[in-house]
Amino acid sequence: MIHNTQIFVHDEVREFHLTNAQVSYIFRVNDQGKLLHLYYGAAVADRDDFGYLVEMQRRTTAACPIDGNHSYSLEHLRQEFPEYGTSDYRMPAVSIVQSNGSRITDFKFAGYRVESGKPALTDLPASYVDSADEAQTLSIDLVDDLTGATVTLLYTIFADIPVIARSVRVTNEGTEPFDIERLMSLSVDLPDDDYVSTQLTGSWARERSIIRHHLHPGIQQIGSLRGSASGHVHNPAIALARPDANEQQGDVIGVAFVYSGNFEAHVEVDSFSVSRVQMGIADHGFTWHLEPGESFQSPEAILAFSPKGYNGMSQAFHDLVRRHVLRGPWRDKERPILINNWEATYFNFDEDKLIAIASKAKEAGVELFVLDDGWFGQRNGDTAGLGDWTPNAERLPDGMNGLAERINDMGMMFGLWFEPEMVNKDSDMYRNHPEWALNTPGRHMSQSRNQYVLNFANQEVVDNVFEQMSKVLSSANISYIKWDMNRYITEAYDASRGVKQQGEVFHRYILGMYQLNARLLEAFPDLIIEGCASGGGRFDLGMLCYSPQIWTSDDTDAVERMSIQYGTSMFYPLSSMGSHVSIVPNHQTNRVTTLTTRSNVAMFGTFGYELDLAKLSAEEFREVRHDVAFFKQYREVIHTGDFYRLISPFESDPRDSGKMAWMVVSQDKRTAIVGDYALLQHPMSPFSRLYLQGLDSEAQYEVSVFGGASSIAGMEFSGDELMHVGMIDSDASTGSSSGEVSDANDLGESHDFDSRLFVLNAR
């Protein structure tokens, strides 16, 4: 029987078992003081001794650190905190360069502590609990006697979700300085390699595509060396699933990083099929100098397990984010529907044009108006003004407060765009402080988008930007800021520090960025910060500690967004995804899709608009009003319900079903919303059924359809039927298979990229 206790400690065999009736994580200390990993997976009943899980035998060519013992080699033991060079040749969790140049360490167990709740991490975002009974934390101390280096491994297991948070703290308790050159926040040795790895990979405007491959011998790794962002290319999260796993069933392990800078996540499969999973700060370009008495805290990594397939793993992360990562009043409050002026005006606006856009949006029921780039300094294009956060008097003659008051008087909230980490050379900030831009002495400065990166590793820079932003935010009733960041770091060098600390610049930059976020939220606790890094370049758990929502991608094309939002949902909840309806032809793809489909995709996120509603037809504007009302009615379900991926745009064959589908189910299972999307239409397509998930099997659900027609509108089905028999719909508008058509006009009812939303309400 599984007990409610979360951490069992068996002192007599020095064994630790973290469990919460959903997951178990077990390791022990061996006679040499090393931590050996024993088990991670579905919850198992505790027992006095799991020592039978230690697998060890003599193997030819193995190096053996115990004289006379030819069976004991760290190369063939599964460990919790591996080191290189004392018989283990795999990638280590730690590497420390000592004053004599040696990198050899020998960390041994020195003690442990168990406490209720979860301690905060110094200067870093991390998951948290509201009350001590929501989690327990195990701290394990390891000491390297020769150097005095002390490592503390932190394990927090949450009470009612299958999630464990991991991090590492290193303290120099010796007499000589040393440099950390590698420190993984998490290392787990799995007993075999029979896993399919999932990564979220892409680029700007096509972020987080789902890529899968079976593990193979050697190292398979993703990461980012872009400095200012966790990255458009590889998201800091991976999943390992058994080959028979799908969205609904099978064991899946997920690992995600609570960090927004350079990272690496890798799996190393050795010659005996053991899989070492590690995640942490990328070691290329990283060193951290510790004088005696100083400490370094690694960012946090999150480990989740589900026997219920990829959806189950995703829901574990979604629950974690909504309850233990997001914070402040906007964790639980309904987010406002917004309109952003960027694609409507770009830099070509004045106050009256903005008011006209806001007025029409208010008429549609939109709740927040956001003024994007161009409101500050001499910002008439992208070559000037960044760094000078003062309102442009020509565009805003009555200042920021004048515009904000006009917006507020309509009954709307007011928001503002910032890109606080960047500077243009054509700015007062750069003219006065060129040394504040990151640049290596004697080297050329690379530009991107006509801008340069401020040195947020320099406290003076962070203080200046905070003062400028605070002055603007204090000058008017500003409820929201869109925090943009539009380029990566090059020529990284911290002119405010000496030679020994140049390996710290990337991490200190991210710490400075986190500090600025935290200070702004402390000064303006009701502020919504929507994260953005050229779209989704910083969509990670670290930013979600400050931003309850993140702009998912600069690509607002509805068809592209199906894939982007689908991939993002692997680790991040719908409530975190900034998703808007934009103009057509789309500004990124030049594709034309219906207003209905653009809305039906954007509904599965925070919802908003990136266009001038006054330029729509009367019929389109009526549809917008209807869409806004629909989202207001169901946004609590969308943002707090359980999300299920049904048909993948990455795996669906357009010649077959040609569909993509997902759904969300309210926590009480009384309401569900299904998004049903056609991709490319084909004549004489086969019959298809949509198998739903997560419903109450005994409930009767009445079906209504939004944004299209359906042959099953108004009908009732049991949850059992909808999940096991499937939802059968003969309407032609989504690639139907209804049989004969009555005339030529019927052939025109189906189009590429049609969509509908089905709403199921339990009777």
Side-chain angles (χ1 to χ4, degrees), residues 281-295:
I281 294 174
D283 53 18
H284 180 79
F286 170 80
T287 59
W288 197 272
H289 185 75
L290 286 184
E291 293 287 337
E294 294 181 338
S295 295

Side-chain angles (χ1 to χ4, degrees), residues 180-418:
I180 304 169
E181 65 176 4
R182 178 177 175 84
L183 185 64
M184 294 291 100
S185 297
L186 171 149
S187 184
V188 180
D189 285 353
L190 301 174
D192 63 73
D193 63 352
D194 193 21
Y195 289 95
V196 173
S197 175
T198 297
Q199 64 193 59
L200 303 180
T201 293
S203 72
W204 175 81
R206 54 176 177 86
E207 296 90 341
R208 290 173 297 284
S209 295
I210 295 176
I211 306 295
R212 292 193 168 114
H213 60 86
H214 203 290
L215 294 185
H216 56 78
I219 295 175
Q220 34 252 279
Q221 177 171 313
I222 62 169
S224 172
L225 296 176
R226 296 169 186 267
S228 54
S230 48
H232 296 86
V233 178
H234 299 299
N235 192 260
I238 60 172
L240 298 175
R242 291 303 190 183
D244 63 348
N246 57 32
E247 289 287 3
Q248 288 77 45
Q249 63 84 33
D251 290 354
V252 182
I253 296 169
V255 187
F257 207 20
V258 190
Y259 192 63
S260 309
N262 290 350
F263 79 94
E264 70 172 70
H266 79 251
V267 183
E268 180 178 5
V269 178
D270 70 11
S271 56
F272 296 94
S273 298
V274 170
S275 299
R276 175 166 289 174
V277 184
Q278 295 186 331
M279 179 169 279
I281 294 174
D283 53 18
H284 180 79
F286 170 80
T287 59
W288 197 272
H289 185 75
L290 286 184
E291 293 287 337
E294 294 181 338
S295 295
F296 177 80
Q297 173 65 54
S298 82
E300 184 172 85
I302 301 295
L303 189 62
F305 171 82
S306 175
K308 298 179 180 179
Y310 294 102
N311 272 321
M313 181 212 69
S314 296
Q315 289 166 10
F317 276 102
H318 296 178
D319 286 347
L320 176 83
V321 170
R322 290 189 300 234
R323 297 164 54 192
H324 300 295
V325 172
L326 304 183
R327 59 205 71 203
W330 293 103
R331 181 187 76 172
D332 302 315
K333 288 174 64 175
E334 291 183 346
R335 315 280 173 70
I337 300 170
L338 68 83
I339 189 165
N340 184 299
N341 73 294
W342 179 242
E343 290 192 9
T345 68
Y346 293 104
F347 292 108
N348 183 25
F349 66 84
D350 57 25
E351 186 171 306
D352 288 339
K353 182 180 284 189
L354 299 176
I355 291 298
I357 293 172
S359 179
K360 194 66 176 178
K362 172 61 179 176
E363 186 181 342
V366 174
E367 298 157 315
L368 165 65
F369 175 81
V370 178
L371 172 56
D372 210 280
D373 196 358
W375 58 266
F376 53 91
Q378 297 304 308
R379 188 70 167 173
N380 298 311
D382 66 2
T383 62
L386 285 175
D388 299 340
W389 299 107
T390 54
N392 184 311
E394 294 181 6
R395 286 183 168 153
L396 303 175
D398 296 319
M400 194 59 66
N401 188 51
L403 175 60
E405 283 188 347
R406 293 180 71 181
I407 299 294
N408 293 156
D409 287 345
M410 296 180 193
M412 298 180 73
M413 301 163 67
F414 177 63
L416 205 55
W417 180 94
F418 283 93

Side-chain angles (χ1 to χ4, degrees), residues 661-681:
W662 52 35
M663 67 181 292
V664 63
V665 183
S666 63
Q667 292 294 318
D668 63 6
K669 299 185 183 297
R670 304 294 295 172
T671 304
I673 303 169
V674 181
D676 182 30
Y677 307 90
L679 300 178
L680 298 180
Q681 295 289 350

Side-chain angles (χ1 to χ4, degrees), residues 99-130:
S99 57
N100 65 355
S102 171
R103 289 170 170 80
I104 300 299
T105 54
D106 186 17
F107 284 102
K108 294 182 179 180
F109 178 75
Y112 74 91
R113 295 168 300 285
V114 176
E115 60 183 302
S116 297
K118 185 176 188 297
L121 302 186
T122 303
D123 298 328
L124 281 164
S127 57
Y128 70 98
V129 293
D130 289 320

Side-chain angles (χ1 to χ4, degrees), residues 27-96:
F27 62 95
R28 65 163 20 193
V29 185
N30 72 2
D31 292 340
Q32 287 68 44
K34 296 299 183 182
L35 299 184
L36 302 185
H37 181 78
L38 301 182
Y39 173 77
Y40 173 57
V44 298
D46 190 52
R47 58 184 289 159
D48 293 337
D49 188 347
F50 284 96
Y52 73 93
L53 293 172
V54 177
E55 297 171 292
M56 183 172 61
Q57 69 180 48
R58 180 172 181 169
R59 283 177 171 151
T60 304
T61 75
C64 302
I66 302 175
D67 291 344
N69 186 336
H70 299 288
S71 297
Y72 182 82
S73 175
L74 294 174
E75 181 180 6
H76 305 306
L77 287 170
R78 292 186 291 122
Q79 301 168 66
E80 283 293 298
F81 194 67
E83 303 154 88
Y84 175 83
T86 59
S87 73
D88 191 346
Y89 300 99
R90 296 166 291 178
M91 291 296 290
V94 65
S95 181
I96 292 175

